[in-house]
Amino acid sequence: MAERVLVVGSGGREHALAWKLAQSPHVKHVFVAPGNAGTADNGKISNSAVLVSNHTIVTQFCKDHNIGLVVVGPEALLAAGIVDDLRAAGVRCFGPGARAAQLASSSSSSKAFLQRHGLPTARWAAFSTPQEACRFISSTDFPAWVVRARGPAARREVTIAASKEEACRAVQEIMQDRMFGEMVVIEELLHGEELSVPEALLEQIRGAILQHIVDSLRQEGAAYVGVLQTGLMLTKEGVKILNFKCQFGDPQCQVILPLLKNDFYEVIQATIDGKLCSCMPAWLENRTAVCVVMASPGYPGDSDKGMEVTGLLQAEELGLQVFHGGTALKDGRVVTRGGRVLSIAAVRQDLMEALGEANRGVATIHFQGATFRRDIGHRGLRLLRQPLALMYKDRHVAAGAREVLSCLPQTSAVRGTRAGGRSEGGGFAAFFDLRASGYDDPILVSQTKGLGPKLQVAQVCKRHDTIGQDLVALCVNDLLAQGAEPLFFLSHLSCGKLDAEVLETIKEGIAEACRSAGCAFLGEEVTEVAAPCAPGLCDLAGFAVGAVQRGQRLPGLQRAREGDALLGLGSPGIHGRGFGVVRRILLTSALRCSSPAPGSCGHTTLGDVLLTPGKMFSPALLPILRSGHVKGFAPTAEGLLGGISRLLPEHVSAVLDALSWKIPEIFGWLYKEGNLSAQEMAQTLPCGIGAVLVVQKELAQHVLQDIQRQQEAWLIGRVVAPCHTGSHIEVENLAEALQLSSPQQLLDTSSAEIQPQPRKRKVKVAVLVSGAGTALPALISSAREPGSCAQLVLVISNRPGVPELRSAARAGIPARVIDHKLYGSRSEFDSTIDRVLEEFSVELICLSGFMRVLSSPFLRKWKGKILNASPSLFPLIKDGNAQQEPLESGFKVTGCTVHFVLEEPGAGAAIRREPLPAGPGDTEAALGERLQEAELRAFPLALQLVASGAAWLGAHGRTCWRRQSQSLSPEEERGRGAASPEEPPEREGLWAGP
C-alpha cells in the first residue's frame, strides 16, 4: 500500500529528498514541512505548515495524516531529539537519535568519542573559559590551529589561525561575546588531500573507520540509523577523521540523489529495518552529476529577501533539475528568502558536459544580486587527469564529501530485493545465502501454486500485467500463515508458442510483486510445449520459500477458543479455485470480458474487474502476526469457508455476520448472474475477505486498529461452541449482503428523484464535536435501541479533553482528536477529517456542537450526508443569539431544526422540527435549556429517518420523503411532525418534510 511521507526541512536538500521519494511507487504523497516554493503543490509533493520545532505537534500531525515515514533533514532538529520522540510514538523515522547525532552537533563530544575508541583524528582539546584555551594554545606546537565553537548554531564559525596570537584572538571573540557557543574546541590543522581517495584505500576506510564508528556507537547504546557523512583527510600518518555530518549534506544531497538508480524509499526502509545489505544503493553507470548553488547577495551573512526569481522553466526545459532552497511563493511568484536560493543539478555522461549544462542553467535563471561560484568542478577536472582521481565504478560526484548509508542489524520486514539471492551460471539454478538474511535458527517454509482458470481469462482479455502479482500473492500469503517471511521466489511458464511481449509483462509483474513482498526473484523457467497445446494458451506456476525463526511459528489450530474474535482483511480480487466458477458464469452470461463492468458506468470492463489481483499481505502484516496477539492467520483464496476452517479445531465453530464488512460489487453480480446460493458463494469465493485472523476477544480492537492503519479490516465474527446444524461455520446475512452489494440499475431521474430502498443494514455514522454540544449521549442511546438503522462508529473532536471523548470511550466508540490548531489551512484540516471518515467507512455525519466552519469542497463531497441541529425554526438563524432573538422579537413559537448541511442553508433541507412555545415570562437561560432538550429529542429521530432511507436530500437541495405507499416503522411514524405553515408544497409526487 502506498504511504504518505513527511520530509522535515525547508532547504534544497529537503527538496531533493522529496523529489526522489516521490518517484517511488510505494509513496502516495510527500509532505514537506515547512518546505519552500519548489515543494509547494508539485505533483505528489506539497508543503505543510506544521510547527516542526514542537515534536508533540509533529507527532499528532503524523497520526492524523497516517504518515508512514518521516525523513528529517536539519541537523539541529536531529540533535534536539525529534527522531527519539517520533519513534517513541510509533512513527517510523529515517535519521539518528539525539545521542548519535552528537557526532555532528557537538565538536567536543565527537572528538571525545573518537578518542575513546581509538579512531584517528587531529589532536584537540575543549575549554569553557578563554584563559584555559589560550594557555593550551601557547603550550602546543601545531603548524596551525583550528578554532571552532561547540554545539549547533545557525552559523558554524571556524577560524584557521596561522599563529598562536591569531588563535587566541579567535577564542576571545567566541568566548567573550558568546556569539557562537558556550565552549570552544582547539584542534590541530591537518595537512593532506581531503578529496582524493584511491580505490584501494576505500575498502580500508570502510572497514577500519566507518564500520568501526557504527560498531562503537552501538556499543555505547546509540544505534545509528540514517546517513553518516564523514570528512576524511589523507595525511602523512594515514587517514584521519576531520568531522561528521549526521544527515545528507547540502548541496551534496542534490548531486548524489540524481545518480541513485534504485528506489530511494526502499533503500530507506531497508536501512531502518537493519537490512541495508538486501537493498544496497545502485548508481547510474557512466554518468556524472554536477550541482551549482545560486545564493542571495551577502551570503553567508544577512541576505536580501523578496526578490523575484525568473527563468526557472527555461532551466528545466534544458533537462536540468532545479532544487529550491531559500525560496517562497508570493502572489504566485517565486521570490528569494535569503541564503542558498537554488541548486542547479545536471546529470550527463562526463564531468565536462555536466559542468557546461549546469552553468547553462545558471545563466538562464535571474534574480537581483545572484552569486555563485564559477570554479565548481574545475578541481575535479584536474583530479581526473591524475592517477589518484576520485573514481568509483565510473561514477563521478562533484561534491566535497562521500555519503555513507549506515544501519545496525534489526529484525523486521524487508523492503525490496533481499540479500543472499543470486543466479549463476546462466541456468535455472540459483543460490541463496540464508545467513545474509539475518536468521540464527530458521525453519524453512515452502509453497507452490498455479493460476489455473484466471490465467485463461487473462488470455481472453489479452491482459497479463496483473497475473504475476496474483501468483506471488498466492504463495506469499500461504507462507505468512505460518508466520514465515518470504525469502525468494521462482516461476515456471509453459505455453504453446512463446510471445516475448507477454513473457516480459508477466515477468515485470512478478518482479514488482517480489519487491513489494521483500523477497528475491531468483529467476523463471519458460517451456514451449508442442502440439496439441494451442498457440495462445499457457500455464503459470510459482514456487516460494520463506523462513521463520524457531519458536516464532503461528500457534496453529489448537489455540482458537470459544469467544475469540475473527478479523477479516479486505481484498477485492478473486483467485484460486473460485475462478473456475467465474469462468463457468462467463460462458453462460450475456456479458463478455470486454463489456462494461456492472455498476461502473462504462469506466472499466468486466475483464478488468475480474483480473483485479488478490491482496498480498506480506510484509506489512508480519510484525502484527509476530506480536503474540494473533492466534492464527489464513488466506481465503480457496473460498471464505475453506480459509476459516483452516483456523478452527474440531471442538469449536464460527459465526460470521456478512453485513459487518464491505463486499465488492463484483461478488454481488456473480451471485445473481450465476444463480448461486449463499452457501456456494462462501464455499468457493472469498466474498471480499482476503484473509482471516483469530484474536483473543479482549485484544481484538487493539489488533484491528493496528491493521486498519495499513488497510481495510473488520471484526467479522466470533468463535462459538460447536453447532448442531451440521455446518461447522455459519455466515449470517450473506444473501442480504450480496443483494446490497449488487450493482443497482440506473434509473431515469429526469422526472423524479431516485428513492433509496429501505435499508436492511445499519448505516455507519460519525459525530463531529467541539465540546459545546449535548446531543452525543442521546445519539448513542438511540443507535443502541432495537430496530435502529444507525451505528455510531466514530467520534471526532477538534479539541482534546472534551466530555464527548469520555462519552465515546464509555460507549466503546473509537474517537480521534484532530486539533485544528495544528493545521496551516482550513482545507488541510478538512482533508484530514475526510481521510479519517473514509478510514472508518462513514456514511453519515452528525454535527453536535462542532464549532468549525467546514470548507465548500468538504460540503460538496458530503452533500446530503451531514446533519446538524440549529436552535431555531424557519428561517434558520445564522447569526446572533438563538435564545435572545425570539424573546426580543415577540415570537410565540420557537424551537430547533435538524437539517442537512449545505453550502447555502435553506428551509427546504429540514428533516425534523421541534417547536417550543416562547412566552414573555421565559428567560434566556430557561429557553436555552428547553431548546437543548428539544434537540435531544429531534436529533436522534432525524438521524433514524435518514439512516432508514425514509428521508434524503434531493437534487434540488430539498428534503425528499419515501412515498406514502411504502410503510414506515412505528418510530418513523412518531418522528413525523406536522408540516409547518412555511413548508413548501409537494413537488414531483414526493412528500414535504415534517
Side-chain angles (χ1 to χ4, degrees):
M1 182 178 70
E3 289 189 329
R4 294 178 173 88
V5 177
L6 172 64
V7 174
V8 178
S10 61
R13 168 183 53 221
E14 286 73 36
H15 186 183
L17 291 169
W19 167 78
K20 197 65 177 179
L21 284 165
Q23 296 174 11
S24 171
H26 304 299
V27 174
K28 180 179 182 180
H29 192 82
V30 181
F31 294 98
V32 186
N36 53 48
T39 56
D41 298 323
N42 185 0
K44 290 166 66 174
I45 306 171
S46 66
N47 289 340
S48 171
V50 61
L51 187 62
V52 296
S53 60
N54 188 319
H55 301 175
T56 302
I57 290 179
V58 177
T59 300
Q60 187 63 45
F61 176 88
C62 293
K63 292 180 178 179
D64 291 343
H65 286 77
N66 198 21
I67 299 296
L69 172 67
V70 176
V71 180
V72 182
E75 180 185 294
L77 289 174
L78 292 169
I82 186 172
V83 169
D84 302 293
D85 293 338
L86 289 172
R87 284 179 181 156
V91 181
R92 282 176 77 84
C93 289
F94 182 69
R99 189 174 172 188
Q102 284 185 340
L103 282 178
S105 63
S106 171
S107 300
S108 59
S109 295
S110 65
K111 291 291 184 182
F113 170 83
L114 295 172
Q115 193 173 42
R116 284 196 305 273
H117 295 281
L119 288 158
T121 188
R123 291 172 289 176
W124 70 284
F127 305 96
S128 57
T129 66
Q131 294 80 11
E132 293 175 345
C134 288
R135 280 197 294 269
F136 173 78
I137 293 171
S138 299
S139 67
T140 59
D141 192 24
F142 298 160
W145 292 259
V146 178
V147 182
R148 71 177 80 232
R150 172 189 172 178
R155 289 170 58 188
R156 297 296 184 85
E157 291 298 308
V158 178
T159 300
I160 298 176
S163 65
K164 295 180 180 181
E165 293 76 15
E166 187 180 352
C168 286
R169 282 197 301 270
V171 168
Q172 295 290 338
E173 291 176 3
I174 291 176
M175 300 300 293
Q176 290 184 358
D177 296 338
R178 294 290 192 264
M179 291 176 62
F180 306 112
E182 296 298 320
M183 293 190 70
V184 66
V185 175
I186 313 296
E187 61 182 281
E188 171 190 11
L189 178 66
L190 297 176
H191 289 278
E193 178 58 64
E194 185 175 353
L195 285 180
S196 182
V197 181
E199 188 75 26
L201 192 58
L202 206 55
E203 287 300 322
Q204 178 187 343
I205 292 171
R206 185 179 291 112
I209 295 180
L210 301 180
Q211 189 63 50
H212 191 175
I213 292 169
V214 173
D215 292 342
S216 300
L217 285 167
R218 178 176 53 188
Q219 292 171 12
E220 295 192 0
Y224 199 100
V225 177
V227 174
L228 180 62
Q229 178 176 316
T230 307
L232 305 174
M233 178 166 284
L234 184 58
T235 69
K236 292 183 296 183
E237 294 80 21
V239 177
K240 292 193 176 184
I241 299 171
L242 296 176
N243 50 42
F244 296 100
K245 286 187 179 180
C246 57
Q247 83 281 53
F248 281 104
D250 188 344
Q252 291 92 334
C253 182
Q254 294 91 297
V255 77
I256 289 175
L257 288 185
L259 293 175
L260 183 64
K261 183 166 64 173
N262 51 345
D263 191 313
F264 185 40
Y265 175 86
E266 291 180 357
V267 173
I268 286 179
Q269 292 288 7
T271 306
I272 295 173
D273 292 336
K275 302 290 180 65
L276 179 59
C277 54
S278 70
C279 190
M280 290 294 289
W283 308 99
L284 295 175
E285 297 180 358
N286 302 317
R287 289 292 185 272
T288 301
V290 169
C291 177
V292 179
V293 174
M294 300 181 70
S296 290
Y299 175 82
D302 294 332
S303 307
D304 294 334
K305 301 178 182 179
M307 295 173 290
E308 184 176 1
V309 181
T310 61
L312 294 171
L313 291 178
Q314 291 86 334
E316 292 176 358
E317 288 172 357
L318 294 174
L320 305 173
Q321 185 62 44
V322 180
F323 296 110
H324 289 241
T327 65
L329 288 176
K330 182 178 181 181
D331 301 327
R333 299 176 296 116
V334 177
V335 298
T336 62
R337 202 177 53 191
R340 293 191 292 259
V341 178
L342 299 169
S343 301
I344 293 84
V347 179
R348 295 296 185 267
Q349 287 191 345
D350 56 54
L351 180 57
M352 181 67 77
E353 183 184 0
L355 276 172
E357 290 300 308
N359 287 320
R360 278 186 66 196
V362 170
T364 65
I365 298 174
H366 304 280
F367 57 89
Q368 186 178 344
T371 61
F372 55 91
R373 288 179 55 178
R374 303 178 186 275
D375 61 345
I376 294 294
H378 290 185
R379 188 181 183 192
L381 289 174
R382 292 194 300 270
L383 288 172
L384 287 175
R385 301 186 182 101
Q386 298 175 8
L388 295 181
L390 175 60
M391 301 180 66
Y392 184 60
K393 294 186 178 180
D394 297 322
R395 294 177 299 274
H396 319 292
V397 180
R402 183 177 298 278
E403 308 281 353
V404 180
L405 282 166
S406 174
C407 68
L408 299 176
Q410 302 168 0
T411 57
S412 184
V414 180
R415 303 295 179 97
T417 56
R418 177 181 290 277
R422 68 185 188 274
S423 182
E424 292 186 357
F428 190 59
F431 296 86
F432 192 92
D433 184 358
L434 194 58
R435 185 176 298 175
S437 288
Y439 285 92
D440 298 321
D441 187 17
I443 296 175
L444 294 183
V445 184
S446 65
Q447 180 58 276
T448 184
K449 290 282 187 179
L451 279 186
K454 188 164 189 177
L455 184 58
Q456 298 173 15
V457 174
Q459 290 170 278
V460 172
C461 297
K462 296 182 179 180
R463 180 179 172 185
H464 300 84
D465 57 330
T466 62
I467 57 176
Q469 300 172 46
D470 260 314
L471 185 64
V472 177
L474 280 169
C475 295
V476 165
N477 288 346
D478 273 5
L479 297 181
L480 202 62
Q482 302 296 332
E485 184 180 20
L487 298 178
F488 60 86
F489 185 91
L490 301 104
S491 66
H492 179 266
L493 175 69
S494 60
C495 54
K497 184 179 180 180
L498 291 178
D499 185 324
E501 184 175 346
V502 170
L503 177 62
E504 186 62 25
T505 301
I506 294 174
K507 181 179 176 181
E508 288 176 359
I510 294 175
E512 177 59 32
C514 286
R515 282 192 289 271
S516 299
C519 64
F521 180 31
L522 293 186
E524 72 286 343
E525 175 71 359
V526 181
T527 305
E528 189 168 356
V529 183
C533 183
L537 295 181
C538 58
D539 195 14
L540 182 64
F543 177 77
V545 171
V548 58
Q549 290 281 24
R550 196 179 302 273
Q552 287 189 344
R553 287 185 59 191
L554 290 185
L557 292 177
Q558 300 308 315
R559 284 285 300 277
R561 295 287 184 270
E562 183 179 346
D564 286 345
L566 297 177
L567 306 183
L569 309 186
S571 176
I574 307 168
H575 50 199
R577 70 174 185 176
F579 233 84
V581 176
V582 173
R583 188 164 177 267
R584 288 197 297 272
I585 293 173
L586 287 174
L587 291 175
T588 59
S589 173
L591 297 183
R592 295 291 176 260
C593 288
S594 57
S595 303
S600 70
C601 301
H603 299 307
T604 57
T605 67
L606 178 60
D608 291 339
V609 175
L610 291 173
L611 291 175
T612 300
K615 182 79 173 180
M616 181 168 60
F617 300 104
S618 179
L621 197 63
L622 200 58
I624 296 173
L625 295 181
R626 291 180 174 177
S627 66
H629 298 160
V630 177
K631 294 185 174 184
F633 169 90
T636 59
E638 303 304 320
L640 182 60
L641 299 184
I644 297 174
S645 65
R646 295 167 61 184
L647 297 172
L648 302 179
E650 293 183 358
H651 65 275
V652 295
S653 299
V655 175
L656 281 67
D657 183 2
L659 293 176
S660 63
W661 75 84
K662 179 182 177 181
I663 299 181
E665 287 187 345
I666 188 61
F667 293 99
W669 180 81
L670 292 170
Y671 171 65
K672 285 189 173 183
E673 192 74 9
N675 196 26
L676 302 174
S677 67
Q679 182 71 13
E680 289 171 329
M681 290 289 297
Q683 284 177 340
T684 57
L685 295 167
C687 299
I689 297 295
V692 178
L693 289 81
V694 178
V695 182
Q696 186 178 335
K697 179 182 178 181
E698 291 76 10
L699 298 173
Q701 285 299 327
H702 172 73
V703 175
L704 183 62
Q705 289 175 7
D706 285 345
I707 298 172
Q708 286 176 336
R709 293 189 184 101
Q710 305 169 18
Q711 68 159 80
E712 279 189 316
W714 306 271
L715 178 62
I716 64 171
R718 64 192 187 280
V719 179
V720 298
C723 59
H724 304 288
T725 61
S727 176
H728 187 51
I729 303 166
E730 182 180 359
V731 185
E732 297 177 344
N733 303 316
L734 181 56
E736 184 178 354
L738 289 166
Q739 289 280 0
L740 289 170
S741 72
S742 299
Q744 299 295 318
Q745 296 296 326
L746 297 176
L747 301 178
D748 182 9
T749 60
S750 59
S751 59
E753 297 285 351
I754 299 174
Q755 299 189 44
Q757 296 299 313
R759 296 186 176 94
K760 298 181 181 179
R761 63 177 180 85
K762 292 193 175 186
V763 173
K764 295 182 179 180
V765 180
V767 183
L768 273 57
V769 302
S770 295
T774 58
L776 180 60
L779 294 172
I780 293 174
S781 177
S782 172
R784 288 180 168 177
E785 291 181 2
S788 170
C789 296
Q791 176 188 8
L792 268 61
V793 298
L794 177 65
V795 172
I796 295 178
S797 173
N798 69 306
R799 293 177 178 172
V802 299
E804 290 94 331
L805 295 175
R806 293 190 289 273
S807 298
R810 287 193 296 268
I813 301 171
R816 296 287 187 272
V817 176
I818 304 177
D819 193 339
H820 63 279
K821 297 177 182 178
L822 307 183
Y823 297 89
S825 65
R826 193 186 347 159
S827 62
E828 190 176 352
F829 171 69
D830 286 356
S831 67
T832 303
I833 292 180
D834 180 63
R835 182 189 59 76
V836 176
L837 293 172
E838 290 187 345
E839 177 185 339
F840 283 84
S841 302
V842 169
E843 298 164 277
L844 283 178
I845 303 170
C846 293
L847 306 182
S848 177
F850 187 66
M851 305 302 291
R852 304 298 300 171
V853 177
L854 295 169
S855 62
S856 294
F858 185 93
L859 293 177
R860 286 194 294 270
K861 176 176 180 178
W862 291 91
K863 183 177 180 180
K865 304 295 179 63
I866 307 177
L867 281 60
N868 191 21
S870 295
S872 64
L873 298 175
F874 176 79
L876 301 176
I877 297 175
K878 296 174 61 178
D879 302 305
N881 189 311
Q883 294 84 45
Q884 184 180 13
E885 183 168 334
L887 298 176
E888 293 180 349
S889 304
F891 291 165
K892 297 190 184 287
V893 177
T894 183
C896 75
T897 303
V898 184
H899 56 91
F900 291 107
V901 178
L902 303 174
E903 291 184 80
E904 294 295 332
I911 305 166
R912 170 76 186 178
R913 290 192 175 95
E914 189 77 17
L916 288 176
D922 273 327
T923 64
E924 187 176 321
L927 186 56
E929 185 175 339
R930 291 170 60 203
L931 282 170
Q932 283 189 356
E933 293 173 354
E935 180 184 336
L936 299 185
R937 294 191 299 270
F939 214 149
L941 289 173
L943 174 60
Q944 293 301 327
L945 287 170
V946 177
S948 67
W952 70 95
L953 185 70
H956 44 59
R958 308 179 69 85
T959 304
C960 301
W961 300 91
R962 191 185 304 153
R963 295 183 185 276
Q964 191 170 6
S965 60
Q966 294 176 292
S967 61
L968 297 175
S969 69
E971 183 179 4
E972 292 170 8
E973 292 285 2
R974 292 194 301 271
R976 303 187 66 82
S980 62
E982 296 86 357
E983 193 66 37
E986 290 186 21
R987 297 186 60 179
E988 300 172 357
L990 300 173
W991 290 3

